[in-house]
PDB file of all heavy atoms in Angstrom:
ATOM      1  N   ILE A  70      -7.064  -7.941   4.838  1.00 88.00           N
ATOM      2  CA  ILE A  70      -7.518  -7.457   6.077  1.00 88.00           C
ATOM      3  C   ILE A  70      -6.385  -6.642   6.728  1.00 88.00           C
ATOM      4  O   ILE A  70      -5.318  -7.157   7.048  1.00 88.00           O
ATOM      5  CB  ILE A  70      -7.988  -8.571   6.971  1.00 88.00           C
ATOM      6  CG1 ILE A  70      -9.298  -9.085   6.458  1.00 88.00           C
ATOM      7  CG2 ILE A  70      -8.084  -8.157   8.438  1.00 88.00           C
ATOM      8  CD1 ILE A  70     -10.025 -10.109   7.234  1.00 88.00           C
ATOM      9  N   THR A  71      -6.678  -5.354   6.992  1.00 87.00           N
ATOM     10  CA  THR A  71      -5.693  -4.499   7.667  1.00 87.00           C
ATOM     11  C   THR A  71      -6.301  -4.226   9.096  1.00 87.00           C
ATOM     12  O   THR A  71      -5.613  -3.669   9.896  1.00 87.00           O
ATOM     13  CB  THR A  71      -5.447  -3.188   6.954  1.00 87.00           C
ATOM     14  OG1 THR A  71      -6.749  -2.576   6.657  1.00 87.00           O
ATOM     15  CG2 THR A  71      -4.719  -3.393   5.637  1.00 87.00           C
ATOM     16  N   GLY A  72      -7.558  -4.583   9.307  1.00 86.00           N
ATOM     17  CA  GLY A  72      -8.153  -4.301  10.635  1.00 86.00           C
ATOM     18  C   GLY A  72      -8.744  -2.918  10.745  1.00 86.00           C
ATOM     19  O   GLY A  72      -8.380  -1.989  10.026  1.00 86.00           O
ATOM     20  N   ARG A  73      -9.735  -2.790  11.623  1.00 85.00           N
ATOM     21  CA  ARG A  73     -10.339  -1.469  11.896  1.00 85.00           C
ATOM     22  C   ARG A  73     -10.244  -1.237  13.378  1.00 85.00           C
ATOM     23  O   ARG A  73     -10.682  -2.105  14.159  1.00 85.00           O
ATOM     24  CB  ARG A  73     -11.799  -1.450  11.436  1.00 85.00           C
ATOM     25  CG  ARG A  73     -11.940  -1.439   9.916  1.00 85.00           C
ATOM     26  CD  ARG A  73     -11.618  -0.047   9.317  1.00 85.00           C
ATOM     27  NE  ARG A  73     -11.844  -0.096   7.877  1.00 85.00           N
ATOM     28  CZ  ARG A  73     -10.955  -0.420   7.006  1.00 85.00           C
ATOM     29  NH1 ARG A  73      -9.790  -0.919   7.380  1.00 85.00           N
ATOM     30  NH2 ARG A  73     -11.200  -0.417   5.692  1.00 85.00           N
ATOM     31  N   PRO A  74      -9.829  -0.105  13.833  1.00 81.00           N
ATOM     32  CA  PRO A  74      -9.330   1.029  13.076  1.00 81.00           C
ATOM     33  C   PRO A  74      -7.922   0.872  12.554  1.00 81.00           C
ATOM     34  O   PRO A  74      -7.378   1.637  11.721  1.00 81.00           O
ATOM     35  CB  PRO A  74      -9.414   2.233  14.077  1.00 81.00           C
ATOM     36  CG  PRO A  74      -9.153   1.565  15.383  1.00 81.00           C
ATOM     37  CD  PRO A  74      -9.777   0.238  15.301  1.00 81.00           C
ATOM     38  N   ASN A  75      -7.247  -0.154  13.062  1.00 87.00           N
ATOM     39  CA  ASN A  75      -5.842  -0.376  12.609  1.00 87.00           C
ATOM     40  C   ASN A  75      -5.458  -1.832  12.802  1.00 87.00           C
ATOM     41  O   ASN A  75      -6.311  -2.641  13.247  1.00 87.00           O
ATOM     42  CB  ASN A  75      -4.889   0.557  13.322  1.00 87.00           C
ATOM     43  CG  ASN A  75      -4.951   0.362  14.883  1.00 87.00           C
ATOM     44  OD1 ASN A  75      -4.884  -0.722  15.375  1.00 87.00           O
ATOM     45  ND2 ASN A  75      -5.084   1.463  15.626  1.00 87.00           N
ATOM     46  N   ILE A  76      -4.237  -2.158  12.510  1.00 91.00           N
ATOM     47  CA  ILE A  76      -3.821  -3.514  12.513  1.00 91.00           C
ATOM     48  C   ILE A  76      -3.822  -4.225  13.896  1.00 91.00           C
ATOM     49  O   ILE A  76      -3.723  -5.428  14.015  1.00 91.00           O
ATOM     50  CB  ILE A  76      -2.400  -3.749  11.874  1.00 91.00           C
ATOM     51  CG1 ILE A  76      -1.343  -2.938  12.645  1.00 91.00           C
ATOM     52  CG2 ILE A  76      -2.391  -3.446  10.442  1.00 91.00           C
ATOM     53  CD1 ILE A  76       0.112  -3.456  12.462  1.00 91.00           C
ATOM     54  N   ASP A  77      -3.977  -3.502  15.018  1.00 91.00           N
ATOM     55  CA  ASP A  77      -4.153  -4.086  16.345  1.00 91.00           C
ATOM     56  C   ASP A  77      -5.336  -5.071  16.284  1.00 91.00           C
ATOM     57  O   ASP A  77      -5.321  -6.035  17.027  1.00 91.00           O
ATOM     58  CB  ASP A  77      -4.380  -2.997  17.400  1.00 91.00           C
ATOM     59  CG  ASP A  77      -3.070  -2.337  17.810  1.00 91.00           C
ATOM     60  OD1 ASP A  77      -1.957  -2.751  17.368  1.00 91.00           O
ATOM     61  OD2 ASP A  77      -3.122  -1.407  18.606  1.00 91.00           O
ATOM     62  N   TRP A  78      -6.344  -4.814  15.489  1.00 94.00           N
ATOM     63  CA  TRP A  78      -7.498  -5.649  15.389  1.00 94.00           C
ATOM     64  C   TRP A  78      -7.130  -7.104  15.070  1.00 94.00           C
ATOM     65  O   TRP A  78      -7.690  -8.052  15.540  1.00 94.00           O
ATOM     66  CB  TRP A  78      -8.403  -5.038  14.239  1.00 94.00           C
ATOM     67  CG  TRP A  78      -9.722  -5.803  14.015  1.00 94.00           C
ATOM     68  CD1 TRP A  78     -10.933  -5.519  14.567  1.00 94.00           C
ATOM     69  CD2 TRP A  78      -9.925  -6.891  13.102  1.00 94.00           C
ATOM     70  NE1 TRP A  78     -11.876  -6.418  14.023  1.00 94.00           N
ATOM     71  CE2 TRP A  78     -11.276  -7.234  13.176  1.00 94.00           C
ATOM     72  CE3 TRP A  78      -9.080  -7.568  12.261  1.00 94.00           C
ATOM     73  CZ2 TRP A  78     -11.870  -8.229  12.368  1.00 94.00           C
ATOM     74  CZ3 TRP A  78      -9.671  -8.604  11.438  1.00 94.00           C
ATOM     75  CH2 TRP A  78     -10.979  -8.918  11.520  1.00 94.00           C
ATOM     76  N   CYS A  79      -6.113  -7.203  14.199  1.00 95.00           N
ATOM     77  CA  CYS A  79      -5.657  -8.595  13.789  1.00 95.00           C
ATOM     78  C   CYS A  79      -5.219  -9.452  14.986  1.00 95.00           C
ATOM     79  O   CYS A  79      -5.312 -10.638  14.896  1.00 95.00           O
ATOM     80  CB  CYS A  79      -4.613  -8.473  12.727  1.00 95.00           C
ATOM     81  SG  CYS A  79      -5.106  -7.588  11.197  1.00 95.00           S
ATOM     82  N   GLU A  80      -4.651  -8.790  15.988  1.00 95.00           N
ATOM     83  CA  GLU A  80      -4.213  -9.553  17.133  1.00 95.00           C
ATOM     84  C   GLU A  80      -5.237 -10.386  17.812  1.00 95.00           C
ATOM     85  O   GLU A  80      -4.992 -11.503  18.337  1.00 95.00           O
ATOM     86  CB  GLU A  80      -3.618  -8.606  18.188  1.00 95.00           C
ATOM     87  CG  GLU A  80      -2.459  -7.713  17.749  1.00 95.00           C
ATOM     88  CD  GLU A  80      -1.238  -8.493  17.241  1.00 95.00           C
ATOM     89  OE1 GLU A  80      -0.779  -9.387  17.929  1.00 95.00           O
ATOM     90  OE2 GLU A  80      -0.793  -8.187  16.049  1.00 95.00           O
ATOM     91  N   ASP A  81      -6.524  -9.945  17.733  1.00 96.00           N
ATOM     92  CA  ASP A  81      -7.656 -10.646  18.381  1.00 96.00           C
ATOM     93  C   ASP A  81      -8.550 -11.347  17.334  1.00 96.00           C
ATOM     94  O   ASP A  81      -9.578 -11.870  17.663  1.00 96.00           O
ATOM     95  CB  ASP A  81      -8.542  -9.628  19.156  1.00 96.00           C
ATOM     96  CG  ASP A  81      -7.726  -8.895  20.202  1.00 96.00           C
ATOM     97  OD1 ASP A  81      -6.882  -9.534  20.824  1.00 96.00           O
ATOM     98  OD2 ASP A  81      -7.933  -7.698  20.300  1.00 96.00           O
ATOM     99  N   HIS A  82      -8.130 -11.299  16.065  1.00 95.00           N
ATOM    100  CA  HIS A  82      -8.954 -11.881  15.005  1.00 95.00           C
ATOM    101  C   HIS A  82      -8.047 -12.637  14.046  1.00 95.00           C
ATOM    102  O   HIS A  82      -8.007 -12.451  12.817  1.00 95.00           O
ATOM    103  CB  HIS A  82      -9.732 -10.830  14.247  1.00 95.00           C
ATOM    104  CG  HIS A  82     -10.694 -10.087  15.041  1.00 95.00           C
ATOM    105  ND1 HIS A  82     -10.297  -8.962  15.890  1.00 95.00           N
ATOM    106  CD2 HIS A  82     -12.072 -10.153  15.274  1.00 95.00           C
ATOM    107  CE1 HIS A  82     -11.402  -8.515  16.527  1.00 95.00           C
ATOM    108  NE2 HIS A  82     -12.406  -9.258  16.175  1.00 95.00           N
ATOM    109  N   LYS A  83      -7.271 -13.631  14.608  1.00 96.00           N
ATOM    110  CA  LYS A  83      -6.222 -14.323  13.866  1.00 96.00           C
ATOM    111  C   LYS A  83      -6.826 -15.173  12.729  1.00 96.00           C
ATOM    112  O   LYS A  83      -6.356 -15.054  11.598  1.00 96.00           O
ATOM    113  CB  LYS A  83      -5.324 -15.044  14.757  1.00 96.00           C
ATOM    114  CG  LYS A  83      -4.447 -14.063  15.531  1.00 96.00           C
ATOM    115  CD  LYS A  83      -3.454 -14.787  16.474  1.00 96.00           C
ATOM    116  CE  LYS A  83      -2.567 -13.734  17.132  1.00 96.00           C
ATOM    117  NZ  LYS A  83      -1.626 -14.377  18.113  1.00 96.00           N
ATOM    118  N   PRO A  84      -7.802 -16.059  13.021  1.00 96.00           N
ATOM    119  CA  PRO A  84      -8.366 -16.795  11.908  1.00 96.00           C
ATOM    120  C   PRO A  84      -8.968 -15.906  10.754  1.00 96.00           C
ATOM    121  O   PRO A  84      -8.698 -16.287   9.567  1.00 96.00           O
ATOM    122  CB  PRO A  84      -9.481 -17.662  12.539  1.00 96.00           C
ATOM    123  CG  PRO A  84      -9.122 -17.676  13.993  1.00 96.00           C
ATOM    124  CD  PRO A  84      -8.491 -16.321  14.285  1.00 96.00           C
ATOM    125  N   ASP A  85      -9.590 -14.876  11.069  1.00 95.00           N
ATOM    126  CA  ASP A  85     -10.146 -13.953   9.994  1.00 95.00           C
ATOM    127  C   ASP A  85      -9.022 -13.400   9.218  1.00 95.00           C
ATOM    128  O   ASP A  85      -9.143 -13.278   7.948  1.00 95.00           O
ATOM    129  CB  ASP A  85     -10.929 -12.804  10.665  1.00 95.00           C
ATOM    130  CG  ASP A  85     -11.909 -13.180  11.705  1.00 95.00           C
ATOM    131  OD1 ASP A  85     -11.536 -13.558  12.823  1.00 95.00           O
ATOM    132  OD2 ASP A  85     -13.112 -13.269  11.365  1.00 95.00           O
ATOM    133  N   THR A  86      -7.903 -12.996   9.859  1.00 94.00           N
ATOM    134  CA  THR A  86      -6.768 -12.427   9.166  1.00 94.00           C
ATOM    135  C   THR A  86      -6.193 -13.431   8.211  1.00 94.00           C
ATOM    136  O   THR A  86      -5.868 -13.138   7.077  1.00 94.00           O
ATOM    137  CB  THR A  86      -5.794 -11.901  10.196  1.00 94.00           C
ATOM    138  OG1 THR A  86      -6.435 -11.044  11.125  1.00 94.00           O
ATOM    139  CG2 THR A  86      -4.609 -11.172   9.538  1.00 94.00           C
ATOM    140  N   ILE A  87      -5.974 -14.689   8.705  1.00 96.00           N
ATOM    141  CA  ILE A  87      -5.388 -15.730   7.919  1.00 96.00           C
ATOM    142  C   ILE A  87      -6.313 -16.061   6.694  1.00 96.00           C
ATOM    143  O   ILE A  87      -5.792 -16.281   5.561  1.00 96.00           O
ATOM    144  CB  ILE A  87      -5.139 -16.989   8.775  1.00 96.00           C
ATOM    145  CG1 ILE A  87      -3.994 -16.774   9.648  1.00 96.00           C
ATOM    146  CG2 ILE A  87      -4.882 -18.228   7.861  1.00 96.00           C
ATOM    147  CD1 ILE A  87      -3.736 -17.895  10.707  1.00 96.00           C
ATOM    148  N   ARG A  88      -7.639 -16.068   6.958  1.00 95.00           N
ATOM    149  CA  ARG A  88      -8.567 -16.454   5.896  1.00 95.00           C
ATOM    150  C   ARG A  88      -8.379 -15.628   4.677  1.00 95.00           C
ATOM    151  O   ARG A  88      -8.306 -16.084   3.534  1.00 95.00           O
ATOM    152  CB  ARG A  88      -9.965 -16.326   6.407  1.00 95.00           C
ATOM    153  CG  ARG A  88     -11.015 -16.985   5.534  1.00 95.00           C
ATOM    154  CD  ARG A  88     -12.428 -16.909   6.196  1.00 95.00           C
ATOM    155  NE  ARG A  88     -12.410 -17.557   7.477  1.00 95.00           N
ATOM    156  CZ  ARG A  88     -12.752 -16.898   8.651  1.00 95.00           C
ATOM    157  NH1 ARG A  88     -13.199 -15.645   8.557  1.00 95.00           N
ATOM    158  NH2 ARG A  88     -12.767 -17.466   9.748  1.00 95.00           N
ATOM    159  N   THR A  89      -8.253 -14.344   4.836  1.00 92.00           N
ATOM    160  CA  THR A  89      -8.139 -13.372   3.649  1.00 92.00           C
ATOM    161  C   THR A  89      -6.655 -13.283   3.248  1.00 92.00           C
ATOM    162  O   THR A  89      -6.301 -13.455   2.061  1.00 92.00           O
ATOM    163  CB  THR A  89      -8.685 -12.061   3.983  1.00 92.00           C
ATOM    164  OG1 THR A  89     -10.036 -12.208   4.401  1.00 92.00           O
ATOM    165  CG2 THR A  89      -8.653 -11.123   2.717  1.00 92.00           C
ATOM    166  N   ASN A  90      -5.789 -12.941   4.173  1.00 94.00           N
ATOM    167  CA  ASN A  90      -4.417 -12.533   3.853  1.00 94.00           C
ATOM    168  C   ASN A  90      -3.534 -13.703   3.413  1.00 94.00           C
ATOM    169  O   ASN A  90      -2.571 -13.538   2.744  1.00 94.00           O
ATOM    170  CB  ASN A  90      -3.804 -11.832   5.058  1.00 94.00           C
ATOM    171  CG  ASN A  90      -4.397 -10.494   5.351  1.00 94.00           C
ATOM    172  OD1 ASN A  90      -5.310 -10.096   4.567  1.00 94.00           O
ATOM    173  ND2 ASN A  90      -3.922  -9.768   6.357  1.00 94.00           N
ATOM    174  N   VAL A  91      -3.870 -14.901   3.876  1.00 96.00           N
ATOM    175  CA  VAL A  91      -3.098 -16.067   3.513  1.00 96.00           C
ATOM    176  C   VAL A  91      -3.869 -17.018   2.562  1.00 96.00           C
ATOM    177  O   VAL A  91      -3.499 -17.185   1.373  1.00 96.00           O
ATOM    178  CB  VAL A  91      -2.609 -16.827   4.779  1.00 96.00           C
ATOM    179  CG1 VAL A  91      -1.783 -18.073   4.409  1.00 96.00           C
ATOM    180  CG2 VAL A  91      -1.834 -15.949   5.675  1.00 96.00           C
ATOM    181  N   ILE A  92      -4.946 -17.562   3.052  1.00 97.00           N
ATOM    182  CA  ILE A  92      -5.673 -18.508   2.235  1.00 97.00           C
ATOM    183  C   ILE A  92      -6.203 -17.845   0.918  1.00 97.00           C
ATOM    184  O   ILE A  92      -6.060 -18.368  -0.133  1.00 97.00           O
ATOM    185  CB  ILE A  92      -6.873 -19.170   2.997  1.00 97.00           C
ATOM    186  CG1 ILE A  92      -6.344 -19.891   4.227  1.00 97.00           C
ATOM    187  CG2 ILE A  92      -7.709 -20.047   2.132  1.00 97.00           C
ATOM    188  CD1 ILE A  92      -7.442 -20.326   5.189  1.00 97.00           C
ATOM    189  N   GLY A  93      -6.836 -16.718   1.113  1.00 97.00           N
ATOM    190  CA  GLY A  93      -7.408 -15.995  -0.090  1.00 97.00           C
ATOM    191  C   GLY A  93      -6.367 -15.647  -1.085  1.00 97.00           C
ATOM    192  O   GLY A  93      -6.535 -15.883  -2.293  1.00 97.00           O
TER     193      GLY A  93
END
Side-chain angles (χ1 to χ4, degrees):
I70 287 190
T71 52
R73 289 284 181 276
N75 58 48
I76 59 158
D77 281 354
W78 181 92
C79 300
E80 302 300 311
D81 304 318
H82 298 81
K83 291 182 176 177
D85 311 77
T86 305
I87 288 174
R88 193 176 302 122
T89 304
N90 292 0
V91 179
I92 299 168

